[in-house]
Each structure stands twice: as structure tokens, then as C-alpha cells.
Amino acid sequence: MISLKNVNKNYGAFHALKDVSLDIAQGEKVVICGPSGSGKSTLIRCVNHLEPHDSGEIRLDGLEVGAAKDVLKVRRTAGMVFQNFNLFPHLTVLENCILAPKLASGVSDREARKMAEEYLARVHILDQAWKFPIQLSGGQQQRVAIARALCMKPKVMLFDEPTSALDPEMVGEVLDVMGELAAEGMTMICVTHEMAFARKVADRVVFMDAGRIIEVAPPEEFFAAPKSDRARAFLSQISH
Amino acid sequence: MNFDPSTYWEALFSWPFLRGALLTLGLTVAAHMTAILIALPLAVVLNGPPSALRKLITAYVGFFRAVPTLLQLLFVWNALPQIFPIFREEWFTPFLAAWIALSLNESAYQVEINRSALSAVDGGQMAAGQAIGLKRSHIYRYIMLPQALRVALPPTMNEFITLLKLTSLASIISLQELMTVTQINVARTFQFSEYYAVALTWYLVMVYSLMGLQKLVERRFRWSSRTEAAVLAEARRSRGW
Ligand SMILES: Nc1ncnc2c1ncn2[C@@H]1O[C@H](COP(=O)(O)OP(=O)(O)O)[C@@H](O)[C@H]1O
Ligand SMILES: [Mg+2]
């Protein structure tokens, strides 16, 4: 479903991704972790071409990521959820969800609303559909952001630290929604340091450091016996 | 005191003054609209990645800010017809000349307002628009501009008021706007205070109406405050959105 082959990415003189290769099958759930600045965000932003990569090959559901003619197709194939939610503040929750289906997929207003209501119900927030983002808590906003992404019927979901900006008591409600999505068979890449979530949901954990993938292992293995020193050091830090 | 109210009232609603005030307002609206239309795409380019086009736009802005408005007016009205014969025709009126000169002049200022308003929109908004698969024009139309407008509105209104007053410069190319009409009447009668008061009244009416309009437009930005957003959302829900 997703494959990266020897992907490199530079920000000016800074080498942010170094020869990254990774294959993810349909329905697979992959958690990416690693120290801050290790290139986790850069990696998943390359998958939907928010950041263009400099060399190597990325393929998503048969599409070549980076080919100019397929940029919009690639982005509609992958839904993305950001650390800071990035809801459109001038639109209501429902309008946030129907904007892209109406503009990009040419769905009628009625159909778009119906679909949006369905997804808002799935993230348990249909009762707030008429509100503006500023009226919602962080956890609620992030659930709306998930619904907004799902409204484009993506085949893959990319999460970039979806719970890092949340107060602790709201982390659970967002992880629950993500767990439900995983159980329905969605292919997911999730950058997160929520280790309990990784244990429960992930098929594989990818550990990154300094722009490289250092280690890929099933969560039981990775948490019980990390192979690299750097992963061990990292795990001991975040478990404090 | 030497103020004749009947002269004031008569002049206030007389056709020459009404026409002058309308010309002033019309010229300002036309020039400002044109300036905004010119400035918007330029601001979008300036807000994007570095390019040769960006340097060109920066030069354009610098040029029109540096040249005095009066000189631009005189140039368009007097020099342009000398250079291009097409401007010697009947259709090239003082209004048209003032419109062209003031639009170009104002666009230079409006570019900067629009650019900074666009860059004030959170960077995550562009990324979110891209991530849901919208094309660039849709991202600007439905996400960036509505939010940038909130930031741009107050300085844009300031520009409009400045421009409204700048139109009086067009009296030098014999456009019959409000100040020209006033000067003509003063020169004829030497009743300074009456006719100046008429001009003052019309300028105040125009500026205050505009500020009222601004308040109305600002109601569209109630989503940015939690309490007002709640009121707006509730009102829309009760209407059945
Ligand atoms: N737009 C950018 N321009 C320059 N450097 C960047 C940019 N985005 C990220 N970086 C740098 O690239 C490195 C990796 O960033 P990122 O992928 O965000 O790391 P992570 O998500 O793992 O914390 C960091 O050192 C960061 O400073
Ligand atoms: Mg990051």
C-alpha cells in the first residue's frame, strides 16, 4: 500500500531523511517513534507530498508520490491528522467536513452533509456539528479533524503526534477513536509516543534517529528488548 | 459671527456639491477596488516561494510608494497622452486618469497589507487544505482569504479613508470632485466658512458611513471569539442552517 525506497530529504543543507526504506501492507498499522528532530514528521509529510522528497521513490496505492499530475490524487488517498488539529476556524464543524468533498470530489451538498454526519457520529461528536472549532476542547477538535480526513474516504491515514497537544484527560478519547479506526481495517501510520496505544494497535514499531530508520520490530519485541542502544536510551527516557 | 446658514443648507443639497461628493466617493471606490484586485495576486505570489516574479513585484511596490501621488496624477493626465496618442481621444477623461493613477498608487500599499494578512494566517491552515486534497486556488479562496480578510480589514479601511481624501488632489486635473466644487464656489462668493463646512459635512458623512459598514463586515468574523462564536453558531442552528 505504501512503499518508500531509499528516500532522502534535505532542508537546505540539513539532511533530514537519510536513505529511508519502508514497506507497509494494506491494513497494516505502523507506529513511528524516536527523539524530537529525528525526522518523523518529515517522513509522513513526504508520504502525502506535503514535503517533496529529493531522491528515492515513494509509492502510495500504486501512485508515484511526487509526480505532478498525481499530487491531488495522492493527497486524497491519504488522510492526515496534525498535532495542532488545524481545523478551519471560520467554518463550523460540519462545514469543515464537507468542504473538501464538495470542492474536490464534486459531491452534492446533501450527500456531503450525510457523509459528514456519518463520520462525525463515528468519532462521537455529531452533537457538536453546528459549533465553531473555538467552542470545542482540544480532544473534540482532534476528533473533528479525524472525521474531516475520513470524509475524503482515504485508503490510508497519517497521524502526526495527534495527542501531543492535548491535556492528559483528553488523550484517551482521541486514542479510542483511532483504535476503532484501526479495528475497522484502516491502513495507518502514526507518529506517537503513546506506548500503550502502540502495544495494543501497532503491527510494527519503527524507531527513527537522526533521519534514519534504526529499528523496525513488532511492539512486544521492541518494547521488551530493543536491539539498538539508541532505542534503549530513548525508551528509558520516555518511560520516566 | 459671519456664517450664513441658508447658504450652507442650500449648497449642501445642491446638485454640484452632491455630484462632487458622488464623484469623490465613486472615484475612491473604483480606485480602491481596482487596487485590491491588482494587489491580491501579487500578495499571493509574495506569500509563496522565492522567485524572479517576487523581485519584480517588490520593485513595483517600491516604485509606486516612492513617487508622489500628485506627480503620478499629473503624469497620467498630461504625459501619457504625449507618449501614447491613443490617450488623446475624447474618452480619456479626468475621472479615468485619476482612476488609473490612484489605482496604481494604492495597489502598492494594498499589496503589503494583503501580504502581511496572508502570512498572519496560521501555517497549518495551508497544510490542512493541501492534506485534504484541495487545489491551490480553492485553498486560497475558501481557507486563506476568509481568514486573511479579518486581519486586512482595519488597515484596508484606513487606506480607503486616506484615499478618499487623496482624491481631492484630482482637482489639479480639473476633475469636478468635492474639493474642486468647493473651491469654485469660494472663489466666486468669498463665503469660505459656509462652503468649507459643506465639504466637511460630506467628507464626514462618507467616512462615518464607511465605519458603519466596517462594523457590519466585522460581524462576519465572530468565529474568532469564543463567546461570539457561540452566539453565531446558536443563531445559525435556530435558523436550521
Ligand atoms: N521546514 C523546515 N525547514 C528546515 N528544517 C526543518 C523543516 N522542518 C523540519 N526541519 C528540521 O528537520 C529535522 C526533522 O524534523 P521533523 O521531521 O519535524 O522531526 P520530528 O517530527 O521527528 O520531531 C529537525 O531538525 C527540524 O529542525
Ligand atoms: Mg514532529
Side-chain angles (χ1 to χ4, degrees):
Chain A
M1 177 56 87
I2 306 168
S3 90
L4 295 92
K5 263 196 217 117
N6 303 327
V7 172
N8 284 280
K9 163 79 191 170
N10 299 288
Y11 293 112
F14 183 76
H15 201 170
L17 289 183
K18 298 169 187 160
D19 269 327
V20 168
S21 297
L22 184 66
D23 277 291
I24 296 171
Q26 179 158 8
E28 206 182 355
K29 291 101 186 103
V30 169
V31 159
I32 302 180
C33 63
S36 172
S38 56
K40 307 179 298 293
S41 298
T42 305
L43 173 60
I44 68 167
R45 290 168 72 94
C46 280
V47 171
N48 67 347
H49 202 59
L50 281 191
E51 295 287 354
H53 55 287
D54 295 315
S55 70
E57 192 191 55
I58 305 179
R59 299 192 75 86
L60 173 65
D61 192 34
L63 299 164
E64 187 194 335
V65 177
K69 66 170 172 49
D70 285 337
V71 170
L72 295 181
K73 257 197 215 157
V74 161
R75 289 180 180 157
R76 289 166 197 170
T77 304
M80 182 174 250
V81 174
F82 301 87
Q83 183 171 353
N84 296 317
F85 331 133
N86 293 345
L87 292 181
F88 307 129
H90 59 302
L91 302 177
T92 62
V93 165
L94 190 84
E95 289 167 343
N96 263 272
C97 292
I98 64 177
L99 184 68
K102 278 175 68 178
L103 290 176
S105 318
V107 177
S108 75
D109 186 71
R110 201 209 209 111
E111 270 176 83
R113 274 164 192 263
K114 222 179 107 216
M115 188 168 67
E117 283 170 7
E118 228 168 80
Y119 283 116
L120 286 169
R122 265 167 68 177
V123 301
H124 318 298
I125 199 149
L126 183 56
D127 56 332
Q128 318 274 339
W130 48 280
K131 287 191 177 174
F132 285 94
I134 198 172
Q135 297 175 261
L136 305 183
S137 72
Q140 292 173 322
Q141 289 194 46
Q142 195 60 300
R143 286 186 281 138
V144 173
I146 294 173
R148 177 178 71 180
L150 291 175
C151 280
M152 289 304 282
K153 303 207 180 299
K155 295 185 174 164
V156 169
M157 284 289 286
L158 310 170
F159 295 87
D160 192 357
E161 304 206 33
T163 57
S164 304
L166 296 177
D167 292 335
E169 74 269 22
M170 293 168 189
V171 169
E173 65 191 60
V174 172
L175 292 180
D176 286 347
V177 164
M178 290 166 61
E180 287 162 27
L181 200 58
E184 287 161 23
M186 178 64 82
T187 309
M188 291 168 47
I189 304 183
C190 183
V191 176
T192 184
H193 293 157
E194 294 293 335
M195 294 309 149
F197 175 80
R199 273 205 179 85
K200 201 168 82 189
V201 171
D203 298 305
R204 282 184 294 163
V205 176
V206 171
F207 174 73
M208 289 184 73
D209 190 27
R212 286 183 199 283
I213 293 183
I214 307 292
E215 201 169 330
V216 182
E220 318 79 59
E221 245 175 70
F222 178 75
F223 292 118
K227 290 191 196 73
S228 63
D229 292 343
R230 280 189 271 188
R232 226 168 289 135
F234 172 73
L235 284 175
S236 75
Q237 263 172 7
I238 59 165
S239 58
H240 283 172
Chain B
M1 207 178 88
N2 208 349
F3 186 90
D4 177 11
S6 70
T7 307
Y8 169 81
W9 287 111
E10 223 169 85
L12 187 61
F13 296 109
S14 70
W15 176 236
F17 275 96
L18 277 175
R19 185 171 172 278
L22 282 175
L23 258 179
T24 292
L25 189 64
L27 177 58
T28 312
V29 170
H32 205 183
M33 290 288 179
T34 312
I36 291 171
L37 283 181
I38 297 172
L40 258 183
L42 301 190
V44 169
V45 174
L46 281 186
N47 200 41
S51 64
L53 198 55
R54 245 171 69 164
K55 289 213 181 78
L56 205 69
I57 293 169
T58 312
Y60 170 91
V61 170
F63 178 82
F64 282 103
R65 275 168 130 176
V67 182
T69 314
L70 188 58
L71 180 56
Q72 286 177 34
L73 267 171
L74 289 170
F75 184 90
V76 171
W77 179 238
N78 295 321
L80 220 49
Q82 279 189 345
I83 305 170
F84 303 105
I86 186 168
F87 288 107
R88 285 174 213 160
E89 314 271 331
E90 193 78 358
W91 57 264
F92 193 58
T93 57
F95 184 88
L96 214 53
W99 184 358
I100 294 173
L102 293 176
S103 299
L104 291 175
N105 180 261
E106 181 55 36
S107 69
Y109 295 93
Q110 201 68 46
V111 165
E112 183 49 30
I113 291 176
N114 293 357
R115 188 205 58 76
S116 60
L118 277 173
S119 64
V121 176
D122 186 274
Q125 295 290 306
M126 177 63 96
Q130 289 173 326
I132 48 176
L134 296 181
K135 46 182 190 177
R136 212 171 132 80
S137 60
H138 279 157
I139 294 175
Y140 272 99
R141 165 74 183 77
Y142 294 98
I143 298 170
M144 301 298 284
L145 291 181
Q147 294 181 63
L149 183 61
R150 185 174 80 94
V151 182
L153 188 66
T156 300
M157 284 299 175
N158 270 339
E159 282 302 312
F160 187 92
I161 291 169
T162 306
L163 195 58
L164 186 83
K165 294 181 288 193
L166 266 184
T167 54
S168 62
L169 287 177
S171 63
I172 201 155
I173 62 171
S174 64
L175 180 73
Q176 301 280 319
E177 48 71 56
L178 190 51
M179 276 319 291
T180 314
V181 175
T182 307
Q183 298 284 32
I184 291 171
N185 280 283
V186 165
R188 192 169 47 81
T189 62
F190 294 104
Q191 289 180 290
F192 292 98
S193 48
E194 291 83 351
Y195 291 115
Y196 286 165
V198 171
L200 173 70
T201 308
W202 279 119
Y203 279 117
L204 287 180
V205 166
M206 289 189 275
V207 170
Y208 277 100
S209 317
L210 201 81
M211 281 158 59
L213 202 66
Q214 179 177 357
K215 282 270 171 303
L216 280 182
V217 177
E218 273 168 358
R219 286 171 60 84
R220 291 187 52 180
F221 305 133
R222 283 179 291 173
W223 47 263
S224 61
S225 124
R226 188 166 291 164
T227 46
E228 290 188 62
V231 176
L232 178 59
E234 202 53 63
R236 284 173 61 173
R237 179 160 76 151
S238 67
R239 280 205 309 270
W241 49 302

